[in-house]
């Protein structure tokens, strides 16, 4: 029994600061009550590990990455009698079990049950060996007795103090549905946590809980406060607490209802900074089906016999009656898909899903209090960082959910060093609020969800916002800069004019370009209508006499002819995420929409309907176009994955709907188009399951919309000439971007940048506007015409007739150009073999200086030969070329041949030059092995080029490819014919020793050819 000394709280606060943690944990006052005994028992019916054997540094060395560092957590769970009413289904039990299943093997957890007495059901134990015991202990939480919140808080502190591991983050999760009415005063325990810097994450279940006390405990300890209106919210709250404690960020979350036989599909982008990704689906009422798909489209298959629950050693699957989890280590970069299916449900049920990541790119968000008086502003701060460095120019928003369910968005402004701040003022209504802070850096999304309340009670002193235990919090700006508070999307009836007043952008000086230019094509025929997305550019090309579709890969420079049908293929569009290409095609007599799969190399029709289908746009697997199968142009949308038909609602009959565009997110993302239902063209948009709404209804014509996320741009003639306007689908705000009296037309948008073609100089030029800093750049100044720009990230492409015919040009905004285009083959003249190049060398490795004789064999009647030796030197000439490498290194020699039609073909040879071995072994350098593989992933059959990038004195190389094959060459090429993950080993040896380097090749299954998607249509 622990004796509680009767001391005033003021004296205690002074003494606690002087005592070491062990002494401070031993005796506490009862908050002004008489001396009281606190009964803390240990349940011996559950087997637990008494001695925790974990080897860890006590603060030495670099900390583990967020989300992967180990933590010690005590779960303090209220088991008072009132829980019979507030949690009749024992969902707090499921929530605590979820927390255990989400914990890492190296974490430590304790289970503390409190009512009038306190019972440690499971001491702080290593999860690795005790996951089952921890969940068995949780199952013993009952519902009887009074509520000793202070006792539960104190017992949890003792577990962390006495059994915690030095160097681990530490925290307590405290759940209650009532008011403290017996035992130790909770506020007398709080100074112990404050002294150690250990946060308490408090959860107030229903309105019967002492919310003010829970907020105060969280405030003083630097934790977070969560409000659970009903027990159904507990699963999501415990999931979020775990993410916060582990330093994880969400990248997507969704809450909704799902009906019998309904399927919900979400797209999840995994970027290169992600180390671990966690897919979680919560459904308190019933079991639903939950699947995830790799970026190559194959499903992660479950295997009950496997230790991980799946066929992959890197993916662990965990399930219960109320949740399902996939934990993926070292995930494949790309677009994953999660699918939620209710085929096994017999009623409509609620569900929520989240995807959380441990990554080097992180978001840390905070609010300046957990409770506010009505009308008091809320300050939100955020820090976006890549490891320790702040990230500038992120887009950071805070979406506030009000007590009535309405949403309001605040844009957070950058304050320097990767920090952002904003203010929310609409706090007139009392109740529980929630704010989702979301950062976007290119395609990389991170988000966090915070809770607070507006109450009539006087709010306490401003708390110190925190992140994960022992992590450095984002520092709030003392005086936040003015922020723009965005309103909800206006509620409009069709044909109603939006009420937002356009705000013109002040005239700004035109700057000269500081980036770099690249001519992508130089064929004497016309190349027109380019589109860019990610690292892919497509266009229509007339070099063969009809229009074909060509593709340029910015990463490796490959230029590929996609279509060869003698009919015309025109107006292509591409998705850099899915790699799919769509276009309009008249091979069947009228114009249809076709698409190309890079995985199978095949073309498939999207439409076979009568009439014309034209001007497609694509986002991931979703395509939209204008369609006159019924006599009037109408916007249509389709899902290219067979059997998963979804779409947006039908347009108003009789109106003309043209030039549609679709945003990433597919039919769950917005589609925009120009619409003449009001007598002139206006811009409309729709979303899956919602009625269409106007973006802009005004005088003149609003045409040729383009969309990125929730931002839309279009050309607008309300002022007589054509100007560029910007609209926000979330807020209804509209901004006039240009006000020059000349015409600005055909805009496009990507992130912070807007481009268009502009004739203010008498010809058409390309202009670029940065909507963050307001700079305007004239990209082109050639007296010829440059038209139809398209932008993605750092690159702009357009068609350009400065050479007399139309070519494709590219501009790199930051001055860093992509790989130079190298065509895989032009269209040969009749009777000639295809253009091809074959490059060989008499020697491919040796010591410096190394003289190499390169020999070229070609076909297809080339007219020009261009040589690049990999060290900056170049040459021209047919046949053979001799070149001497003076310095050690690995060089890629490239031959490019060109014919009269403008077609190109290329081939490469890798040459490795080493240092001359020293005569004395002691003078030689010890080898340090390093290798490079290209590509590192792909579908079978996968051919990989391996390059030795080792340093030191080396005279032997030995490669093992992981599938039983090997090579003794300095550089090697190997083809994998079966799917799987292969460990590649390179061992290099020399006079001073040897060294080994490893790499991993992920070989994906061959992707079957998709079925015809013509039926997967729905009107936009």
């Amino acid at each position: 029994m622990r004796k509680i000394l009767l001391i005033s709280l003021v004296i205690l606060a002074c003494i606690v600061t002087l005592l070491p943690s062990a002494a401070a944990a031993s005796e506490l006052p009862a908050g002004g009550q008489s001396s009281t005994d606190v009964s803390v028992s240990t349940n011996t019916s559950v087997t637990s590990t008494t001695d925790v054997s974990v080897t860890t540094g006590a603060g030495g060395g670099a900390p583990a990455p967020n989300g992967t560092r180990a933590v010690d957590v005590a779960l303090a769970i209220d088991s008072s009698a009132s829980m019979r009413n507030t949690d009749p289904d024992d969902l707090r039990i499921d929530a605590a079990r979820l927390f255990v299943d989400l914990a890492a093997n190296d974490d430590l957890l304790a289970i503390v049950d409190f009512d009038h007495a306190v019972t440690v059901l499971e001491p702080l134990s290593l999860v690795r060996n005790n996951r089952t015991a921890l969940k068995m202990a949780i199952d013993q939480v009952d519902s009887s007795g009074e509520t000793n919140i202070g006792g539960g808080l104190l017992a949890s502190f003792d577990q962390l103090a006495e059994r915690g591991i030095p160097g681990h983050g530490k925290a307590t999760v405290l759940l209650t549905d009532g008011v403290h009415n017996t035992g130790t005063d909770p506020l007398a325990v709080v100074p112990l946590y404050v002294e150690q810097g250990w946060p308490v994450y408090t959860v107030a279940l229903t309105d019967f809980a002492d919310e003010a006390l829970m907020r105060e405990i969280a405030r003083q300890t630097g934790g977070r406060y969560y409000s659970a209106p009903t027990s159904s919210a507990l699963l999501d709250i415990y999931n979020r607490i775990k993410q916060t404690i582990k330093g994880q960020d969400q990248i997507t979350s969704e809450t909704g209802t799902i009906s019998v036989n309904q399927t919900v599909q979400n797209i999840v982008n995994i970027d290169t900074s992600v180390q671990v990704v966690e897919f979680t689906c919560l459904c308190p009422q019933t079991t639903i089906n939950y699947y995830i798909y790799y970026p190559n489209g194959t499903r992660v298959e479950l295997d009950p016999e496997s230790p991980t629950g799946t066929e992959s050693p890197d993916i662990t699957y965990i399930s219960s009656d109320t949740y399902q989890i996939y934990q993926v280590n070292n995930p494949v970069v790309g677009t994953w898909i999660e699918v939620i299916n209710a085929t096994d449900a017999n009623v409509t049920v609620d569900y929520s899903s989240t995807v959380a990541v441990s990554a080097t790119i992180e978001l840390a968000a905070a609010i300046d209090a957990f409770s506010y008086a009505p009308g008091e502003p809320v300050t939100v701060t955020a820090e976006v960082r890549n490891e320790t460095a702040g990230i500038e120019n992120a887009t950071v928003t805070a979406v506030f959910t009000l007590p009535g369910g309405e949403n309001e968005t605040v844009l957070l402004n950058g304050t320097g060093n990767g920090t952002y701040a904003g203010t929310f003022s609409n706090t007139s209504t009392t109740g529980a609020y929630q704010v989702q802070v979301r950062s976007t850096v290119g395609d990389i999304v991170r988000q966090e969800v915070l809770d607070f309340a507006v109450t009539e009670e006087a709010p306490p002193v401003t708390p110190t916002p925190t992140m994960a235990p022992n992590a450095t919090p984002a520092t709030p700006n003392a005086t936040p800069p003015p922020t723009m508070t965005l309103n909800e999307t206006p509620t409009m009836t069709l044909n109603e004019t939006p009420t937002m007043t356009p705000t013109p952008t002040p005239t700004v000086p035109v700057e000269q370009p500081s980036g770099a230019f690249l001519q992508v094509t130089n064929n004497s025929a016309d190349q027109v209508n380019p589109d860019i997305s990610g690292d892919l550019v497509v266009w229509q090309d007339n070099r063969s006499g009809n229009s074909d579709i060509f593709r340029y890969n910015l990463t490796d420079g490959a230029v590929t002819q996609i279509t060869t049908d003698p009919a015309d293929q025109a107006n292509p569009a591409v998705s850099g995420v899915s790699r799919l290409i769509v276009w309009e095609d008249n091979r069947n007599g009228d114009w249809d929409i076709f698409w190309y799969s890079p995985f199978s190399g095949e073309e498939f029709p999207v439409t076979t309907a009568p009439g014309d289908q034209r001007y497609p746009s694509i986002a991931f697997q979703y395509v939209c176009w204008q369609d006159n199968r019924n006599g009037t142009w109408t916007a249509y949308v389709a899902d290219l994955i067979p059997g998963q038909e979804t779409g947006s609602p039908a347009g108003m009959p009789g109106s003309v709907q043209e030039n549609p565009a679709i945003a990433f997110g597919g039919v769950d993302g917005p589609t925009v188009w120009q619409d003449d239902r009001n007598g002139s063209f206006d811009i409309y948009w729709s979303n899956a399951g919602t009625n269409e709404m106007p973006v802009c209804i005004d005088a003149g014509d609003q045409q040729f919309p383009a969309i990125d996320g929730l931002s839309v741009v279009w050309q607008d003639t309300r002022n007589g000439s054509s100007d560029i306007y910007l609209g926000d689908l979330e807020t209804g705000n509209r901004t006039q971007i240009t006000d020059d009296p000349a015409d600005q037309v055909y805009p496009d948008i990507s992130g912070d940048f807007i481009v268009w073609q502009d004739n203010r100089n008498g010809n058409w030029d390309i202009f670029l506007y940065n909507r963050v800093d307001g700079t305007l750049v004239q990209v082109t100044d050639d007296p010829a015409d440059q038209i139809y720009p398209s932008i993605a990230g750092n690159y702009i492409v357009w068609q350009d007739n400065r050479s007399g015919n139309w070519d494709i040009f590219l501009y790199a905004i930051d001055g860093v150009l992509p790989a130079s285009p190298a065509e895989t083959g032009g269209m040969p003249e009749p009777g000639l073999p295809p253009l091809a190049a074959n490059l060989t060398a008499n020697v491919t490795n040796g010591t410096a200086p190394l003289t190499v004789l390169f020999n070229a064999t070609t076909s297809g009647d080339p007219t020009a030969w261009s040589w690049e030796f990999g060290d900056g030197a170049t040459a021209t000439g047919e046949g053979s070329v001799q070149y001497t490498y003076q310095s050690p290194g690995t060089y890629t020699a490239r031959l490019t041949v060109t014919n009269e039609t403008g077609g190109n073909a290329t081939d490469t040879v890798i040459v490795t030059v080493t240092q001359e071995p020293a005569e004395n072994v002691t003078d030689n350098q010890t080898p340090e092995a390093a290798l490079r593989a290209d590509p590192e992933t792909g579908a079978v059959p996968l051919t990989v080029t391996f390059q030795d990038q080792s340093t030191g004195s080396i005279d032997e190389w030995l490669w093992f490819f992981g599938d039983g094959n090997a090579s003794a060459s300095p550089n090697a090429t190997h083809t994998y014919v079966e799917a799987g993950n292969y460990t590649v080993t390179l061992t290099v040896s020399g006079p001073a020793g040897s060294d080994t380097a490893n790499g991993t090749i992920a070989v994906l299954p061959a992707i079957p050819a998709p079925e015809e998607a013509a039926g997967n249509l729905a009107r936009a």
Side-chain angles (χ1 to χ4, degrees):
M1 307 287 284
R2 176 176 281 109
K3 184 79 173 190
I4 305 299
L5 301 179
L6 181 59
I7 312 172
S8 72
L9 287 177
V10 175
I11 298 175
L12 172 70
C14 298
I15 293 176
V16 163
T17 60
L18 303 176
L19 294 177
S21 60
S26 61
E27 296 185 354
L28 290 175
Q33 302 174 13
S34 60
S35 180
T36 307
D37 289 336
V38 178
S39 174
V40 180
S41 63
T42 300
N43 190 333
T44 57
S45 65
V46 179
T47 303
S48 64
T49 302
T50 303
D51 296 322
V52 180
S53 177
V54 178
T55 302
T56 181
N66 275 357
T68 62
R69 61 167 174 261
V71 295
D72 303 339
V73 179
L75 301 181
I77 305 171
D78 188 339
S79 63
S80 60
S82 58
M83 282 290 181
R84 299 171 189 170
N85 297 318
T86 57
D87 186 22
D89 298 322
D90 285 334
L91 289 178
R92 71 191 188 283
I93 307 298
D94 290 324
R97 289 172 62 92
L98 170 68
F99 196 101
V100 172
D101 278 333
L102 290 169
N105 284 335
D106 292 334
D107 294 339
L108 275 70
L109 296 182
I111 310 302
V112 177
D113 171 300
F114 67 91
D115 40 54
H116 59 279
V118 177
T119 303
V120 178
L121 296 175
E122 180 70 5
L124 194 70
S125 306
L126 187 67
V127 172
R128 183 190 308 275
N129 302 322
N130 293 278
R131 202 179 296 269
T132 299
L134 287 161
K135 290 193 284 187
M136 290 175 62
I138 292 169
D139 290 342
Q140 296 185 60
V141 173
D142 59 4
S143 301
S144 65
E146 298 178 280
T147 307
N148 184 358
I149 295 175
L153 198 58
L154 177 59
S156 299
F157 178 86
D158 284 348
Q159 288 296 308
L160 298 175
E162 296 169 6
R163 301 175 61 87
I165 300 298
H168 282 202
K170 293 175 175 61
T172 289
V173 180
L174 175 65
L175 164 68
T176 186
D177 72 334
V179 176
H180 174 76
N181 53 25
T182 186
T184 307
D185 184 353
L187 293 179
V189 183
V190 166
L192 299 175
Y193 285 86
V194 174
E195 180 193 31
Q196 296 297 328
W198 298 344
V200 179
Y201 297 84
T202 61
V203 183
L205 175 59
T206 76
D207 294 336
F208 296 106
D210 189 343
E211 297 175 330
L213 174 64
M214 292 296 100
R215 288 193 291 268
E216 183 63 7
I217 293 172
R219 183 193 72 80
Q220 289 193 31
T221 62
R224 285 184 178 174
Y225 162 77
Y226 301 83
S227 173
T230 68
S231 59
S232 296
L234 293 177
L235 285 165
D236 178 63
I237 288 173
Y238 270 64
N239 185 27
R240 288 161 49 201
I241 292 174
K242 192 280 306 186
Q243 293 165 4
T244 301
I245 290 176
K246 295 288 286 185
Q248 294 177 310
D249 288 319
Q250 294 182 3
I251 58 176
T252 182
S253 63
E254 181 179 84
T255 300
T257 59
I258 187 168
S259 304
V260 179
N261 294 323
Q262 182 183 358
T263 296
V264 176
Q265 175 179 300
N266 296 316
I267 294 171
V268 180
N269 282 323
I270 301 301
D271 59 86
T272 56
S273 74
V274 174
Q275 301 156 325
V276 180
V277 59
E278 206 167 70
F279 297 81
T280 305
C281 183
L282 311 175
C283 185
Q285 293 101 334
T286 187
T287 300
I288 58 177
N289 299 317
Y290 186 50
Y291 308 113
I292 62 172
Y293 289 75
Y294 293 99
N296 68 350
T298 60
R299 194 171 83 182
V300 173
E301 296 296 337
L302 303 182
D303 182 3
E305 303 300 322
S306 168
T308 65
T310 74
E311 294 182 352
S312 170
D314 291 326
I315 302 179
T316 299
Y317 173 74
I318 303 168
S319 67
S320 77
D321 291 339
T322 55
Y323 58 83
Q324 297 180 62
I325 307 164
Y326 291 87
Q327 293 173 326
V328 186
N329 292 314
N330 304 312
V332 176
V333 174
T335 302
W336 294 62
I337 298 175
E338 65 170 359
V339 175
I340 304 166
N341 180 275
T343 55
D344 294 338
N346 53 18
V347 294
T348 299
V349 296
D350 297 324
Y351 76 96
S352 66
S353 68
T354 62
V355 181
V357 296
S358 305
T360 56
I361 295 180
E362 302 172 275
L363 167 70
I367 50 179
D368 58 344
F370 295 126
S371 65
Y372 299 82
E376 183 179 10
V378 179
T379 298
V380 185
T381 58
E383 181 181 5
V384 185
R385 62 186 177 222
N386 189 349
E387 296 184 359
T388 58
I391 298 177
E392 304 289 342
N393 299 323
T395 300
V396 184
T397 58
V399 180
F400 288 80
T401 301
L402 280 64
E406 314 88 61
N407 289 332
E408 188 166 327
T409 300
V410 172
L411 177 67
L412 274 59
N413 293 331
T415 59
N417 298 321
T419 61
Y420 302 80
T423 302
F424 173 73
S425 303
N426 187 10
T427 58
S428 58
T429 304
T430 59
Y433 289 67
Q434 194 171 85
V435 54
Q436 181 190 79
V437 182
R438 182 182 179 93
S439 69
T440 304
V441 182
D443 293 330
I444 299 174
V445 175
R446 300 287 185 266
Q447 65 184 37
E448 288 190 26
V449 179
L450 308 172
D451 295 72
F452 66 94
V454 174
T455 68
E456 298 291 347
E457 68 187 45
V461 181
T462 300
T464 302
T466 65
M467 307 179 313
N470 298 344
T472 302
T475 302
N477 194 15
T479 305
T483 60
M484 176 178 64
T485 301
L486 308 180
N487 296 322
E488 299 174 54
T489 303
T491 302
M492 306 177 190
T493 58
L494 298 181
N495 299 329
E496 179 184 355
T497 303
T499 59
M500 302 299 294
T501 302
T503 303
T505 299
T507 302
V508 296
V510 178
E511 300 181 7
Q512 295 302 306
S514 59
F517 293 86
L518 175 68
Q519 183 170 349
V520 177
T521 66
N522 58 4
N523 192 280
S524 58
D526 286 330
Q527 290 87 42
V528 297
N529 296 326
D531 185 47
I532 184 171
S533 177
D535 64 345
L536 297 179
V537 180
V538 293
W539 64 86
Q540 71 182 67
D541 196 302
N542 199 41
R543 69 183 67 186
S544 59
N546 66 299
S547 289
D548 292 303
I549 307 303
F550 276 64
R551 179 189 66 197
Y552 164 39
N553 188 313
L554 304 182
T555 301
D556 59 18
V559 176
T560 306
Q561 182 173 345
I562 301 299
T563 65
T564 58
D565 191 273
D568 285 326
Q569 293 85 45
N571 293 312
V574 63
S575 168
V577 178
S578 67
R579 326 297 283 179
L580 305 181
I581 303 171
V582 295
W583 63 88
E584 59 186 66
D585 195 305
N586 74 347
R587 68 183 68 185
N588 297 320
D590 53 10
W591 290 103
D592 294 304
I593 306 299
F594 273 66
W595 70 287
Y596 168 80
S597 167
F599 307 109
S600 66
E602 296 179 84
E603 305 165 20
F604 305 93
V606 180
T607 65
T608 56
D612 289 326
Q613 293 86 44
R614 308 200 67 176
Y615 306 119
S617 172
I618 186 171
F620 191 63
Q621 73 208 41
Y622 305 97
V623 58
C624 65
W625 65 91
Q626 65 182 62
D627 194 308
N628 74 348
R629 67 182 69 184
N630 297 316
T632 303
W633 289 116
T634 304
Y636 272 71
V637 64
D639 183 346
L640 297 183
I641 294 182
Q644 298 184 19
E645 177 180 341
T646 50
S648 45
M652 178 178 290
S655 67
V656 175
Q657 302 163 5
E658 297 177 332
N659 296 309
I662 192 167
F664 184 80
V667 290
D668 288 329
T671 304
V672 296
W673 65 88
Q674 64 188 57
D675 195 304
D676 78 341
R677 70 186 65 187
N678 302 310
S680 61
F681 279 112
D682 299 302
I683 305 300
Y684 276 71
W685 75 285
S686 71
N687 209 340
T690 65
N691 291 326
E692 58 192 23
M693 292 181 290
V695 179
C696 178
I697 299 177
D698 217 304
D701 287 322
Q702 290 81 45
Q703 296 176 284
F704 300 104
I707 184 169
D708 182 48
L710 296 177
S711 298
V712 183
V713 291
W714 65 88
Q715 66 182 61
D716 195 306
T717 62
R718 72 183 68 186
N719 300 317
S721 60
S722 184
D723 294 306
I724 305 302
Y725 276 68
L726 167 69
D728 188 308
L729 299 184
E730 188 169 30
T731 67
N733 290 344
R734 292 177 287 125
T735 303
Q736 182 177 345
I737 301 299
T738 68
D739 59 0
D740 191 273
D743 286 325
Q744 292 87 43
V745 297
Y746 300 119
D748 196 18
I749 183 171
S750 176
D752 296 332
F753 294 107
I754 302 172
V755 295
W756 62 84
Q757 68 183 63
D758 194 305
N759 75 345
R760 68 183 67 189
N761 298 316
N763 65 298
W764 291 110
D765 290 304
I766 306 301
F767 277 65
L768 170 69
Y769 176 72
N770 186 326
R771 57 177 173 152
V772 174
D773 60 22
T775 56
L776 178 64
V777 175
Q778 181 177 338
V779 176
T780 64
D781 60 1
D782 191 273
D785 286 326
Q786 293 86 42
I787 61 175
Y788 302 144
S790 177
I791 185 171
N794 182 54
Y795 300 115
I796 308 170
V797 294
W798 65 89
Q799 69 182 64
D800 194 306
N801 76 344
R802 68 183 67 189
S803 301
N805 63 289
W806 292 107
D807 290 304
I808 306 301
F809 276 66
L810 177 145
Y811 175 72
I813 298 172
D814 64 0
V816 180
L817 290 173
S820 298
E823 299 197 8
T824 57
M827 294 300 297
E829 295 179 8
L832 291 178
L835 183 64
N838 181 52
L839 179 61
T840 60
N842 68 327
V843 60
T844 56
N845 63 82
T847 57
L850 179 65
T851 299
V852 182
L853 179 63
F854 295 100
N855 294 292
T857 303
T858 62
S859 61
D861 197 19
T863 57
W865 288 257
S866 176
W867 300 84
E868 301 173 48
F869 300 110
D871 60 354
T874 60
T876 58
E878 180 180 359
S880 300
V881 173
Q882 181 172 292
Y883 183 72
T884 299
Y885 293 92
Q886 301 294 336
S887 303
T890 300
Y891 303 97
T892 300
R894 181 188 300 271
L895 167 66
T896 302
V897 295
T898 307
N899 61 15
E900 290 182 349
T901 67
N904 295 321
T906 187
D907 195 17
T908 60
V909 167
I910 297 174
V911 178
T912 301
V913 183
T914 59
Q915 292 180 339
E916 180 72 32
E919 296 181 1
N920 191 332
V921 172
T922 60
D923 294 334
N924 289 312
Q925 296 181 349
T926 302
E928 293 186 8
L931 62 89
R932 179 187 178 194
D934 186 26
E936 295 180 345
T937 185
V940 293
L942 179 65
T943 299
V944 182
T945 299
F946 297 96
Q947 295 183 21
D948 171 38
Q949 296 192 330
S950 307
T951 59
S953 301
I954 302 170
D955 52 26
E956 290 184 4
W957 295 261
L958 185 58
W959 296 86
F960 290 97
F961 302 118
D963 60 354
N965 294 292
S967 173
S969 299
N971 302 287
T973 299
H974 181 66
T975 299
Y976 293 90
V977 295
E978 293 184 2
N981 292 322
Y982 298 93
T983 299
V984 179
T985 300
L986 168 63
T987 300
V988 293
S989 304
S994 63
D995 192 29
T996 298
N998 297 318
T1000 300
I1001 302 299
V1003 183
L1004 307 176
I1007 298 176
E1011 300 171 3
E1012 179 178 311
N1016 298 333
L1017 308 180
R1019 288 193 174 189

